[in-house]
């Protein structure tokens, strides 16, 4: 069903497709960050500040992210522009959130009009594409929000041509290191992870990315760390990642974290202040993402 008003866009109606915990907007999808303007701004900052970590190695085993690319869980289109920066790339961007797709389409109006990107409202575990439709599948911070990430990976493999490439990036809250250390900050992080788990997601999925990708049937799987190290020598990361990307995740999840009962309101405020303190003076902040590249069997 085309709901966009332009022939370049094809928004699939998921209403008659198999129900599940997927997309990024479905029931129990683990997305506890919200869908408002502040979250859209955070996603843009995150994509830009982490661009070298996410997209820097374009010759990894999964091959260059080019040709016909499926962007699974595109959200507001924060990563889409980085994909389109590769000449010749054509993107089919998929998400379940209609408001997010509206923002994404407006952000990339020129590329949409030129036919370089098409937008689809669909479930990332039940895609409206034939087998072997794509040269590459790209997913960034998507699997952590799904109750059944193996289903998504199996579906992504289905729509890849033989020998096609996969790039997946996920985080792991267990990799967070702070100085000065703070029990209150660690309790806030643990509370957010627990709230995400209760909603069907996994804030620690980075550590199991390799077995998940192999278990889905991909070959030539390589997983490597991409670490953010922010101290006074990297004010860009202090501002762009610590203060404008990481901290807002927990600000948005305040209600859910307090509902878990792992911290009370006073400790939550203290923990948030301590997270911000890592971006001042001699504070340091470390967080590790994991980037998997792989190939569909020939």
């Amino acid at each position: 069903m085309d709901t966009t008003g332009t022939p370049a866009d094809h928004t699939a109606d998921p209403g008659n497709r198999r129900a599940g915990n997927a997309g990024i907007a479905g029931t129990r999808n683990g997305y506890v960050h919200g869908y408002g303007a502040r979250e859209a701004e955070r996603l843009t900052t995150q994509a830009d500040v982490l661009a070298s970590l996410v997209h820097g190695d374009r010759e990894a085993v999964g091959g260059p992210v080019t040709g016909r690319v499926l962007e699974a869980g595109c959200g507001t289109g924060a990563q889409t522009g980085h994909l389109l920066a590769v000449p010749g790339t054509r993107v089919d961007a998929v998400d379940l959130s209609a408001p997010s797709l509206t923002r994404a389409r407006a952000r990339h109006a020129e590329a949409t009009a030129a036919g370089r990107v098409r937008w689809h409202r669909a479930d990332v575990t039940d895609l409206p594409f034939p087998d072997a439709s794509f040269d590459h599948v790209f997913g960034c911070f998507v699997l952590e929000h799904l109750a059944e990430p193996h289903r998504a990976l199996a579906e992504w493999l289905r729509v890849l041509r033989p020998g096609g490439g996969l790039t997946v990036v996920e985080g792991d809250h267990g990799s967070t290191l702070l100085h000065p250390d703070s029990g209150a900050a660690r309790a806030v992080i643990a509370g957010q992870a627990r709230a995400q788990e209760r909603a069907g997601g996994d804030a620690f999925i980075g550590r199991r990315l390799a077995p998940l990708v192999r278990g889905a049937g991909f070959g030539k799987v390589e997983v490597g760390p991409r670490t953010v190290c922010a101290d006074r020598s990297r004010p860009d990361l202090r501002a762009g990642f610590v203060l404008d990307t990481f901290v807002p995740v927990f600000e948005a999840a305040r209600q859910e974290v307090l509902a878990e009962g792992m911290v009370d309101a006073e400790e939550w405020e203290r923990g948030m202040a301590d997270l911000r303190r890592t971006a001042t003076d001699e504070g340091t902040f470390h967080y590790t993402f994991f980037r998997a590249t792989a190939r569909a069997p020939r």
Side-chain angles (χ1 to χ4, degrees), residues 10 12 19-20 24 34 38 61 69 83 88 90 107 128 143 154-155 172-174 180 233 241 248 283 296 298:
H10 304 277
I24 294 293
R38 181 67 185 91
V61 69
V69 176
L83 297 176
R90 305 180 315 283
R107 181 199 299 263
L143 297 179
E155 183 70 344
D172 190 319
H173 279 10
S233 70
F241 186 77
R298 291 187 180 275

Side-chain angles (χ1 to χ4, degrees), residues 27-104:
T27 303
R28 282 184 52 78
N29 60 45
Y31 201 79
V32 295
H33 309 328
Y35 292 94
R38 181 67 185 91
E39 173 62 4
E41 179 183 349
R42 185 191 73 83
L43 291 172
T44 298
T45 301
Q46 174 179 264
D48 292 345
V49 77
L50 298 180
S52 62
L53 300 181
V54 173
H55 303 281
D57 182 7
R58 297 189 185 275
E59 298 304 323
V61 69
V65 186
T66 190
R68 189 180 181 195
V69 176
L70 169 67
E71 183 185 4
C74 65
T76 61
Q79 294 288 347
T80 311
H82 293 281
L83 297 176
L84 292 170
V86 180
T89 298
R90 305 180 315 283
V91 177
D92 284 84
V94 173
D95 204 273
L96 258 185
S97 169
S100 293
L101 287 169
T102 297
R103 291 180 185 271

Side-chain angles (χ1 to χ4, degrees), residues 7 18 33 57 71 73 105 112-113 115 122 177 183 186 222 252 262 289:
R18 184 174 67 241
H33 309 328
D57 182 7
E71 183 185 4
R105 189 178 297 110
T112 301
L177 299 175
R186 284 187 274 109
E222 290 188 0
M262 298 176 70
F289 300 95

Side-chain angles (χ1 to χ4, degrees), residues 210-225:
L212 275 171
V213 174
R214 290 192 186 98
F218 287 91
K220 298 183 178 180
V221 179
E222 290 188 0
V223 177

